[in-house]
Amino acid sequence: MVEAQKWTRRMSNPRLDTAATADDHVLDIPTTPTAEVRNGIYTFGSLLTPNLLTALIIASWFMSNTGVLLLNKYLLSFYGYRYPIFLTMLHMLSCASYSYIAINFLEIVPKQHILSKKQFFKIIALCAIFCFSVVCGNTSLRYIPVSFNQAIGATTPFFTAIFAFIITCKMESVKVYFALLPVVFGIVLATNSEPLFNLFGFLVCIGSTAARALKSVVQGILLTNEAEKLHSMNLLLYMAPMAALILLPFSLYNEGNVARITLEKAKTDSFIILLLIGNATVAYLVNLTNFLVTKHTSALTLQVLGNAKAALAAFVSVMVFRNPVTMTGVTGFAVTIMGIVLYSEAKKRSKITTY
């Protein structure tokens, strides 16, 4: 911003105008307006304080993560849209489309390219595990309540520790392993007292949770080379279309021509199209808000929020879908969440002592 300045005009020969005072020759130079003022543009971000912006991002993260679970449950269990593989494929197509726009046009992160065939096949391997995890997670929602789904999903660190030991022979401290005991004990309590327990739903949810943990371990192994590391949004850009191609033959074989079935259903109930588009969009927003929360806070904050999200999603689902719960089940879920908090704290302390 340029301050207003006073310039005094000087004559070629001051003696010709001796009667004039200094104030008669003072010129006011106005301040230079900013680009926003000149163009009449005020960005939304410029009107927000950093704390308010962070709070809005975290609120969006909670809404998108909880929203996609509730929408999936409603579609698969209550609306009668019993095609979890096709629904997951729609999520992947949505993520691919929105990621392309966000990176190539909005430039929210610099675009990275796949540099070699080796890197390409590594991404395909991650993609296969990712597909298995998401399909199993969505399938489980057909058979078990969201609250029970989230209780099982909270055991991800337990499976991560197991796979890290099996694959990389990495040993954690005794305190870290000890912190995992409440995680296992809590899920045993919740499982034994779940009124709507379904064995198949339970097993596929365990498979989804284990695959999610396996993906994080394998990703840490495969993409260790600095040149091959991809930003999370770029990784989604490449993984999403690959995942859609992997899921397509499985959807056709197991579920039939769901696209035709959906279009036929839309002739009598156009709400299905709105539901699917909204569901697929929210699925992308989950990934976008994950990135934004990490950018504006930290990865540790995202992990803490994940624990809170599990409890919030379980509570909201009980309020919305009115599925029965028992006091023992609630206690088991609380013990599992407490174990995850203890595990996170133990991991953090073990890293500090390592350095």
Side-chain angles (χ1 to χ4, degrees):
M1 186 72 71
V2 180
E3 299 293 338
Q5 303 178 33
K6 293 183 179 295
W7 288 36
T8 303
R9 185 175 60 194
R10 298 183 63 181
M11 310 297 293
S12 58
N13 190 345
R15 287 176 295 179
L16 298 177
D17 194 14
T18 54
T21 62
D23 290 338
D24 292 333
H25 305 292
V26 173
L27 301 178
D28 288 332
I29 307 299
T31 58
T32 303
T34 62
E36 289 84 356
V37 174
R38 289 197 304 271
N39 300 322
I41 298 173
Y42 294 90
T43 60
F44 179 68
S46 66
L47 302 177
L48 297 176
T49 63
N51 289 338
L52 181 57
L53 180 61
T54 301
L56 287 174
I57 290 170
I58 291 175
S60 300
W61 182 87
F62 272 112
M63 287 190 290
S64 60
N65 276 267
T66 305
V68 75
L69 281 168
L70 298 181
L71 282 170
N72 286 346
K73 179 64 177 177
Y74 177 74
L75 275 165
L76 296 168
S77 292
F78 293 89
Y79 195 77
Y81 196 79
R82 304 182 185 280
Y83 310 109
I85 301 176
F86 184 79
L87 184 64
T88 305
M89 189 176 73
L90 287 183
H91 289 180
M92 296 302 105
L93 291 173
S94 170
C95 288
S97 302
Y98 285 122
S99 295
Y100 184 83
I101 294 170
I103 294 176
N104 288 281
F105 295 101
L106 301 181
E107 298 180 348
I108 62 171
V109 293
K111 185 175 182 179
Q112 296 172 286
H113 298 278
I114 297 177
L115 302 176
S116 64
K117 288 184 179 180
K118 184 179 179 181
Q119 185 186 19
F120 176 76
F121 286 115
K122 287 179 178 180
I123 294 173
I124 288 182
L126 287 175
C127 192
I129 301 171
F130 178 64
C131 285
F132 181 80
S133 173
V134 179
V135 169
C136 285
N138 287 339
T139 303
S140 72
L141 291 173
R142 278 188 60 185
Y143 302 97
I144 61 175
V146 173
S147 53
F148 191 37
N149 172 281
Q150 289 299 285
I152 298 171
T155 62
T156 301
F158 171 75
F159 290 101
T160 303
I162 291 176
F163 284 126
F165 176 72
I166 294 173
I167 298 173
T168 66
C169 298
K170 180 184 177 183
M171 288 286 294
E172 300 287 356
S173 66
V174 176
K175 290 182 178 179
V176 171
Y177 287 122
F178 185 75
L180 289 171
L181 292 178
V183 176
V184 179
F185 178 67
I187 200 61
V188 170
L189 275 180
T191 302
N192 287 334
S193 59
E194 174 55 48
L196 299 179
F197 179 81
N198 179 283
L199 181 59
F200 179 73
F202 171 75
L203 291 176
V204 292
C205 194
I206 287 288
S208 172
T209 306
R212 192 183 311 129
L214 178 62
K215 176 182 171 290
S216 66
V217 174
V218 172
Q219 184 171 332
I221 297 170
L222 295 183
L223 301 180
T224 52
N225 189 333
E226 286 298 324
E228 292 183 343
K229 280 187 178 179
L230 292 174
H231 189 280
S232 60
M233 299 305 292
N234 278 281
L235 187 60
L236 181 65
L237 173 66
Y238 294 116
M239 281 181 58
M242 292 180 189
L245 289 174
I246 290 173
L247 292 172
L248 179 59
F250 289 98
S251 176
L252 290 173
Y253 180 77
N254 290 288
E255 300 171 336
N257 191 347
V258 183
R260 182 182 58 79
I261 297 171
T262 303
L263 291 175
E264 288 292 327
K265 186 176 179 61
K267 291 178 180 179
T268 55
D269 183 12
S270 58
F271 185 57
I272 183 65
I273 301 299
L274 182 63
L275 266 178
L276 291 175
I277 292 175
N279 180 256
T281 300
V282 175
Y284 170 73
L285 291 177
V286 169
N287 293 282
L288 178 62
T289 53
N290 279 346
F291 157 66
L292 291 176
V293 167
T294 305
K295 178 182 177 182
H296 287 267
T297 56
S298 66
L300 180 60
T301 301
L302 184 64
Q303 188 176 25
V304 173
L305 290 175
N307 300 331
K309 184 268 296 182
L312 177 65
F315 174 77
V316 173
S317 71
V318 171
M319 294 296 101
V320 173
F321 299 118
R322 300 293 180 181
N323 56 282
V325 293
T326 63
M327 197 61 206
T328 306
V330 173
T331 303
F333 192 12
V335 170
T336 297
I337 295 297
M338 182 191 70
I340 298 302
V341 173
L342 291 174
Y343 169 81
S344 301
E345 186 64 24
K347 282 280 288 183
K348 185 171 68 173
R349 290 185 177 180
S350 67
K351 287 181 180 179
I352 293 174
T353 54
T354 300
Y355 290 117

